[in-house]
Amino acid sequence: MARRRDWVALSKPPLFALCLLPLVLLAWNAAQGTLGPDPVAQLEHRSGDWALRLLLATLAVTPLRRVTGVSKLVRYRRLLGLFAFFYVCVHMGIYLVIDLGGFWSQIFAEIARKPYITVGFTAWLLLIPLALTSTKGMMRRLGRRWQQMHRIVYLIPLLGVLHYAWMVKSGNAIANREPLYYGAAFAALMLWRIPWARLRDGLRALRAGTAAAARCPDPAARR
Amino acid sequence: MLIRRPPDILPGEITPEGVHRRRRAILKALALGPLALAGCGRGAESQAVPADGGGALEIAKRGANVVGEPMTDMDAATRYNNYYEFGTAKDDPAKNSGRFRPEPWSVEIAGEAEITGRFALEDLLKPHPLEERVYRMRCVEAWSMVIPWVGFPLGDLLKRFRPTSKAKYVAFTTVNRPGEMPGLAYPVLDWPYTEGLRIDEAMHPLAILAVGLYGRTLPNQNGAPLRLVLPWKYGFKGIKSIVRIAFTERQPATAWNRAAPDEYGFYANVNPAVDHPRWSQATERRITGTGFGLFGNRIATRPFNGYAEQVASLYAGMDLRRDF
């Protein structure tokens, strides 16, 4: 069957390259020695930033689709989601191999005891099944359950923001506003998802119900 | 600014106006002269001079690198700083401290001492020959550097004011100049920054007041013109741009301890066995600033940052887990 290559299909390879670009730049800067006095911290920081950005981009696909009415935008979602997972893996790899290199015993203690590591590690664990079931075949096989399972993704940026906020010296949000920005973007994307219309209708029905109940004080009459 | 000089004290320490002016001229000439310093090692030849880097200092005693570990590049030590009064990012202090004026400067000496008052920095520094001390600097954020400071023992200065028997602690305060320190606009800490030491800690010969690093006057981002360096404690104890030193009977409040008492203690001695509640203190990432610096930076953290032999006795009998 000859598939017609529409603009979504045509734009995927450049998008793929674009998603890879931050890693290429990071590797280039690391090789050039232009990451400043503490290059390892920079590597961790920037890879983590891109993981969060791509997670939020993935969550932005559906709202964007609804707002623009271009429903085939959904076809970008898997690519963005998998790249988010990829950057989470890169981020963790940098921490384990480059930063902690040689001090392996510390990692087990940290995963168990240090909340920001626990939370970050949990986010990575939760992403694994999502990545593994991201293929068309798995979508078909899982059917309705696929969608239920992939709702886990709403938890990941939250864990990511917590992971970011808890690792800075000051617990004060003012001292480090970046986690706050990511948190705000995430909150906006989640608020958009609340079915406002349904809530409003439900509330109206409820109010009508209580009004009716007020008019009929006899509970038996309400049945 | 009115600077009080009690007449009954420090007669030999008062700098005559003329001498003071001449000294200023010499310092200026030095600052404008060739920047390569004899004996400054690689700091002088190979590193870029920070934009606001100070002039050369006259160093009476030049200590060998007793640490025996490679020194951090001056460039790294002057561009990677925690000085929240200039912003919370590591490169903020170097970027945002250009407007800061570290002179003229005076320090108020207050509290439980026979001699108190406000003193010009020149008068405070005059009797103290400057020494170079190469110390490890361990940040509570689990990174570290090796820095050649220029300064003199804090105790030598404190003794001149004849602390009384009531002087159990020493409290320090950083300058508070919102116009020159953009970070003060954000209530990250309860400004001005404050720190404190028990008097015996303050009198310990390893505790120094620094006026320079890498043979030069302190750049603004490193705490010009006068800062504390306590190599066995986490870096945040090394209060910068000091304007007040007070002898107190009770333990003074300290900025980070007030911000998060369960995370930052009054003592803040480097201790690999006592973790920060949110991260491990068992190891640290050594910042040298040379080469690619990607691999092999992590090293084990040592009790009292490797100065246990000299300072551990100060804390004999104390529960360091409780008094962290």
Side-chain angles (χ1 to χ4, degrees):
Chain A
M1 189 179 78
R3 235 176 353 138
R4 239 191 77 218
R5 312 262 301 162
D6 67 347
W7 58 268
V8 172
L10 286 171
S11 63
K12 269 192 190 176
L15 182 64
F16 189 95
L18 196 69
C19 288
L20 216 49
L21 193 64
L23 182 70
V24 173
L25 281 176
L26 204 55
W28 173 255
N29 285 333
Q32 296 291 304
T34 52
L35 289 175
D38 194 358
V40 180
Q42 277 296 309
L43 288 176
E44 287 171 344
H45 206 107
R46 290 211 215 160
S47 57
D49 268 343
W50 281 105
L52 262 174
R53 284 172 195 155
L54 282 158
L55 276 167
L56 293 173
T58 311
L59 286 192
V61 169
T62 298
L64 206 65
R65 232 176 114 205
R66 294 279 159 75
V67 169
T68 59
V70 185
S71 50
K72 61 182 168 185
L73 285 175
V74 73
R75 283 158 54 201
Y76 289 124
R77 198 169 59 184
R78 173 172 31 210
L79 186 141
L80 292 171
L82 283 173
F83 260 111
F85 177 61
F86 173 70
Y87 276 96
V88 173
C89 291
V90 168
H91 179 66
M92 214 173 85
I94 290 166
Y95 173 63
L96 289 178
V97 179
I98 299 182
D99 192 353
L100 273 189
F103 287 89
W104 307 111
S105 58
Q106 194 175 323
I107 183 65
F108 299 107
E110 295 219 339
I111 289 173
R113 291 208 311 259
K114 303 296 158 203
Y116 87 95
I117 303 277
T118 316
V119 154
F121 188 74
T122 307
W124 175 74
L125 279 182
L126 288 175
L127 278 170
I128 295 171
L130 301 190
L132 289 179
T133 58
S134 63
T135 60
K136 276 208 175 97
M138 284 309 276
M139 278 177 94
R140 222 178 2 245
R141 222 170 304 163
L142 289 168
R144 262 173 63 94
R145 275 176 303 157
W146 187 90
Q147 195 144 26
Q148 288 167 353
M149 175 182 167
H150 277 249
R151 288 209 178 106
I152 294 175
V153 81
Y154 299 133
L155 203 64
I156 313 290
L158 185 69
L159 295 175
V161 168
L162 276 179
H163 167 73
Y164 194 174
W166 279 345
M167 59 164 290
V168 297
K169 180 163 157 194
S170 168
N172 191 329
I174 305 153
N176 190 36
R177 275 159 286 177
E178 271 171 61
L180 214 62
Y181 298 148
Y182 286 115
F186 172 65
L189 290 171
M190 291 313 284
L191 282 173
W192 185 88
R193 285 178 159 81
I194 293 174
W196 293 112
R198 232 194 301 163
L199 273 182
R200 193 190 53 213
D201 294 346
L203 208 67
R204 223 175 254 163
L206 201 73
R207 231 182 271 144
T210 35
R215 264 179 266 122
C216 302
D218 176 12
R222 248 193 287 171
R223 255 188 259 128
Chain B
M1 190 191 309
L2 181 79
I3 296 176
R4 194 167 79 82
R5 212 177 262 142
D8 58 329
I9 52 125
L10 314 169
E13 287 157 11
I14 297 166
T15 313
E17 177 82 2
V19 174
H20 169 64
R21 292 222 178 278
R22 257 175 283 143
R23 195 182 298 142
R24 279 295 173 83
I26 291 166
L27 279 172
K28 272 198 188 116
L30 274 170
L32 295 170
L35 285 159
L37 271 175
C40 191
R42 60 207 196 121
E45 289 100 335
S46 61
Q47 270 101 50
V49 178
D52 47 350
L57 287 166
E58 208 179 298
I59 299 168
K61 206 158 96 189
R62 205 174 278 283
N65 182 352
V66 288
V67 171
E69 292 156 32
M71 265 195 250
T72 298
D73 273 356
M74 182 169 89
D75 200 51
T78 54
R79 286 174 202 279
Y80 193 85
N81 309 98
N82 274 331
Y83 195 167
Y84 281 15
E85 284 85 335
F86 294 114
T88 54
K90 295 284 181 289
D91 54 350
D92 278 347
K95 282 194 296 198
N96 301 337
S97 61
R99 259 189 302 159
F100 185 72
R101 293 285 148 252
E103 63 177 314
W105 197 266
S106 64
V107 179
E108 185 196 352
I109 309 287
E112 310 291 346
E114 286 176 32
I115 302 155
T116 56
R118 184 174 285 279
F119 303 91
L121 183 64
E122 293 82 3
D123 298 323
L124 285 176
L125 300 182
K126 197 194 156 204
H128 303 285
L130 296 181
E131 308 173 27
E132 182 164 75
R133 297 266 187 108
V134 183
Y135 280 159
R136 289 179 212 96
M137 211 280 299
R138 169 64 156 79
C139 179
V140 76
E141 296 167 337
W143 54 266
S144 63
M145 293 184 178
V146 176
I147 301 172
W149 301 101
V150 180
F152 55 93
L154 168 66
D156 290 356
L157 179 125
L158 296 182
K159 280 174 207 151
R160 286 164 57 201
F161 300 93
R162 296 187 208 124
T164 68
S165 60
K166 280 188 180 168
K168 303 276 200 298
Y169 294 90
V170 189
F172 302 84
T173 311
T174 293
V175 74
N176 188 29
R177 290 187 193 161
E180 298 174 20
M181 306 169 111
L184 291 174
Y186 305 97
V188 179
L189 293 168
D190 197 355
W191 311 118
Y193 197 96
T194 48
E195 257 310 334
L197 293 169
R198 224 168 49 194
I199 191 93
D200 58 335
E201 298 181 299
M203 293 295 180
H204 193 282
L206 281 188
I208 60 166
L209 277 169
V211 295
L213 39 65
Y214 299 87
R216 298 200 180 82
T217 304
L218 275 180
N220 288 345
Q221 64 268 31
N222 292 84
L226 186 72
R227 65 165 293 168
L228 206 54
V229 179
L230 307 155
W232 72 96
K233 291 178 178 284
Y234 291 120
F236 70 85
K237 292 292 289 183
I239 188 169
K240 303 180 177 91
S241 309
I242 299 167
V243 288
R244 188 170 191 269
I245 301 176
F247 297 93
T248 65
E249 197 172 3
R250 319 216 8 211
Q251 182 176 305
T254 58
W256 274 104
N257 180 246
R258 276 205 314 206
D262 53 328
E263 298 187 340
Y264 308 102
F266 172 79
Y267 288 96
N269 292 318
V270 175
N271 191 343
V274 177
D275 281 351
H276 185 283
R278 290 182 282 130
W279 58 80
S280 169
Q281 296 291 24
T283 62
E284 66 202 49
R285 202 164 53 238
R286 174 60 56 81
I287 296 173
T288 56
T290 43
F292 295 141
L294 286 189
F295 295 95
N297 297 318
R298 194 160 285 275
I299 54 173
T301 294
R302 290 191 275 164
F304 299 105
N305 203 21
Y307 300 95
E309 211 179 294
Q310 293 97 316
V311 301
S313 59
L314 290 171
Y315 311 100
M318 276 173 62
D319 179 359
L320 298 177
R321 214 162 263 286
R322 205 196 53 178
D323 291 316
F324 57 88

